[in-house]
Amino acid sequence: MTSPQRTQVGIIGAGPSGLLLSQLLHLKGIETVVLEKRSREYVLGRIRAGVLEQGFVDLMREAQVSERMDAQGELHAGVEIAFGGGRHRIDLEGLTGGKTVMVYGQTELTKDLYEARDRLGGTVIHNAEDVTPHDIASDAPYLTYRRGDEILRVDCNFIIGCDGFHGVSRKSIPADRLKQFERIYPFGWLGVLSRTPPVSDELIYATHERGFALCSLRSRVLSRYYVQCPLDDSVDNWPDERFWEELKARLPGDTSEALVTGQSIEKSIAPLRSFVAEPMRWGQLFLAGDAAHIVPPTGAKGLNSAASDIYYLYHALNAHYQKGDDDGLNAYSGRALARVWKAQRFSWWMTNLLHRFPDSGDFDARMQRTDLEYLFSSKAAKASLAENYVGLPY
Ligand code: APR
Ligand code: PHB
């Protein structure tokens, strides 16, 4: 083994969580090394979420990576819910005293973070295989990884696990000390990206007897649509014509008439899962983002929950290095989890409200309908949806 590299904070995973934390810490003079299993092309090839809470937008600005987001992202002051043949708007801005969300793709945001890391000379090591945290319960933890036949070592003060749901960090916490909470939903989302103008200026979440559908967008010329599908379905069963037909069948008549269809440029199926691991800290290892929690995408909270973890960690690590104050680090797991669970609740509620469950009966269908009717008859209920959608305070 070659002599170890030294850094202050070792980060596993170069998704949005790892890159954003690395960038924020760098601006405070704190050194990081990011180890990523995949190539940069692979990371940037993933099509993922697209709705950012105000808190996340502010964090991107603080990280000095907001230029393109501010120029190309779209501020959305409302979202719509379609049911019973009509569309109903939630006035996010009016119901939250002026808060909005930003529509900007995770892929673009990740690209911006990579460019910022390059510009400042940040160390992001790709194709790092067999990344392993060591001695996490001691005050001298370290990471090893393999490149070809060579084993390399990174010594650090802290290890941050930003390596997503399938990563190695969470598995490094002793199994008898980790409590995991999980719900797997009996359906998936089939997503299509197409170079077509979006059917609506704002997102439409649609619920229908045939199942859930979502009309989202990336820009004025790029649309992202989803339909709920069986868990064991395959994209091979979904030629474009069938997808458009099914989407139209789940939307109100005037909306499906207005829908511009075209060739898909990406098509994939994602399962829906709720998952939380507790605690989010073990010794000198801290988990953030998908490594610690997953939400079903119905409330657009996946990326945003990752951002709130990064917010808490950034401030906690900064207080440690600038002032020797460890209160933030000691409070991290509890503080992050309190917000994570609220995002879990909201995502679970939105998922239950809008999807068709294969084993549900007439009673459940009436409950869903009543929940929706109540929502649109009560300002308090709409305000509750709105305050969660724009994001609870950090
Ligand atoms: N070693 C190194 N890197 C790893 C390992 C490992 N063993 N396992 C996974 N990774 C990398 C993945 O290749 C990926 O690039 O960690 C990164 C994790 O990134 P994400 O899965 O994007 O997770 P995160 O950064 O927390 O982003 C939050 O919010 O919208 C949701 O799921 C969506 O990706 C999004 C997430
Ligand atoms: C998306 O645009 O991909 C998207 C938007 C809102 C969601 C989920 C996904 O709730």
Side-chain angles (χ1 to χ4, degrees):
M1 184 157 38
T2 49
S3 61
Q5 185 173 5
R6 252 220 80 75
T7 192
Q8 291 172 301
V9 180
I11 298 175
I12 311 177
S17 302
L19 292 170
L20 180 59
L21 182 64
S22 161
Q23 173 71 5
L24 285 162
L25 293 177
H26 189 128
L27 295 173
K28 294 289 182 192
I30 301 165
E31 286 171 27
T32 63
V33 168
V34 183
L35 299 180
E36 165 60 51
K37 180 178 179 172
R38 306 284 191 160
S39 68
R40 183 185 290 213
E41 294 67 42
Y42 181 93
V43 175
L44 289 176
R46 296 188 284 225
I47 306 293
R48 290 205 171 156
V51 177
L52 314 182
E53 296 173 356
Q54 184 64 48
F56 195 167
V57 169
D58 293 341
L59 210 51
M60 288 288 284
R61 291 185 182 140
E62 180 153 359
Q64 301 177 10
V65 283
S66 64
E67 204 176 310
R68 217 161 58 94
M69 177 191 78
D70 282 323
Q72 294 174 19
E74 278 186 22
L75 284 178
H76 282 213
V79 291
E80 291 192 69
I81 296 185
F83 66 97
R87 277 162 60 177
H88 308 264
R89 185 167 188 264
I90 303 281
D91 176 9
L92 297 173
E93 193 171 26
L95 290 161
T96 60
K99 295 192 179 135
T100 55
V101 291
M102 170 84 85
V103 171
Y104 188 63
Q106 181 175 330
T107 312
E108 299 308 309
L109 175 147
T110 309
K111 208 185 284 173
D112 297 342
L113 284 164
Y114 267 122
E115 273 164 21
R117 297 316 298 122
D118 289 347
R119 210 163 48 232
L120 298 184
T123 308
V124 182
I125 296 167
H126 286 93
N127 306 308
E129 294 186 63
D130 305 338
V131 175
T132 311
H134 300 269
D135 293 357
I136 53 174
S138 82
D139 56 7
Y142 64 97
L143 289 161
T144 54
Y145 64 101
R146 185 171 63 76
R147 269 184 138 180
D149 293 336
E150 200 181 4
I151 305 288
L152 297 110
R153 169 172 166 157
V154 183
D155 289 345
C156 46
N157 308 130
F158 301 100
I159 295 174
I160 315 297
C162 298
D163 47 351
F165 183 67
H166 300 286
V168 64
S169 328
R170 190 178 66 252
K171 295 171 194 139
S172 312
I173 298 178
D176 59 345
R177 298 308 178 91
L178 196 67
K179 176 116 181 84
Q180 309 195 74
F181 302 83
E182 184 169 56
R183 164 150 306 171
I184 294 174
Y185 297 87
F187 39 75
W189 276 20
L190 167 66
V192 158
L193 188 69
S194 68
R195 222 174 287 292
T196 51
V199 69
S200 159
D201 287 345
E202 294 179 340
L203 273 70
I204 305 172
Y205 291 82
T207 179
H208 190 274
E209 273 169 33
R210 300 179 68 88
F212 170 82
L214 170 59
C215 305
S216 183
L217 59 139
R218 291 291 175 271
S219 73
R220 290 293 108 200
V221 290
L222 201 55
S223 297
R224 181 72 168 158
Y225 295 108
Y226 299 93
V227 295
Q228 172 187 349
C229 67
L231 204 48
D232 57 1
D233 213 337
S234 153
V235 289
D236 301 334
N237 299 329
W238 289 91
D240 289 357
E241 308 78 68
R242 179 175 174 215
F243 177 82
W244 294 121
E245 201 178 306
E246 187 59 41
L247 176 63
K248 283 182 173 182
R250 297 181 188 189
L251 298 174
D254 50 347
T255 311
S256 57
E257 271 166 38
L259 184 80
V260 179
T261 64
Q263 202 188 338
S264 67
I265 48 180
E266 195 265 358
K267 197 183 279 163
S268 52
I269 292 181
L272 271 71
R273 184 197 300 268
S274 297
F275 173 85
V276 182
E278 294 184 347
M280 286 172 62
R281 174 195 188 169
W282 184 254
Q284 300 298 85
L285 171 71
F286 294 76
L287 303 179
D290 279 17
H293 42 78
I294 298 281
V295 284
T298 327
K301 289 286 163 252
L303 184 55
N304 291 303
S305 298
S308 70
D309 295 348
I310 297 307
Y311 174 90
Y312 295 127
L313 265 180
Y314 160 54
H315 287 285
L317 288 165
N318 197 33
H320 169 84
Y321 284 108
Q322 314 298 343
K323 298 185 281 184
D325 172 0
D326 284 349
D327 289 354
L329 289 173
N330 293 330
Y332 171 70
S333 181
R335 209 172 261 169
L337 281 165
R339 195 175 186 282
V340 159
W341 275 111
K342 291 190 186 115
Q344 288 285 340
R345 185 205 67 81
F346 178 64
S347 306
W348 162 87
W349 175 74
M350 284 281 280
T351 303
N352 284 313
L353 179 68
L354 300 173
H355 288 77
R356 193 166 160 78
F357 285 70
D359 55 357
S360 74
D362 293 346
F363 181 83
D364 305 281
R366 275 301 171 93
M367 272 302 145
Q368 277 182 326
R369 198 171 87 193
T370 307
D371 212 348
L372 284 162
E373 282 166 1
Y374 168 63
L375 177 65
F376 285 98
S377 68
S378 158
K379 191 173 175 197
K382 279 185 290 202
S384 168
L385 192 161
E387 88 168 334
N388 280 279
Y389 198 84
V390 301
L392 296 173
Y394 286 167

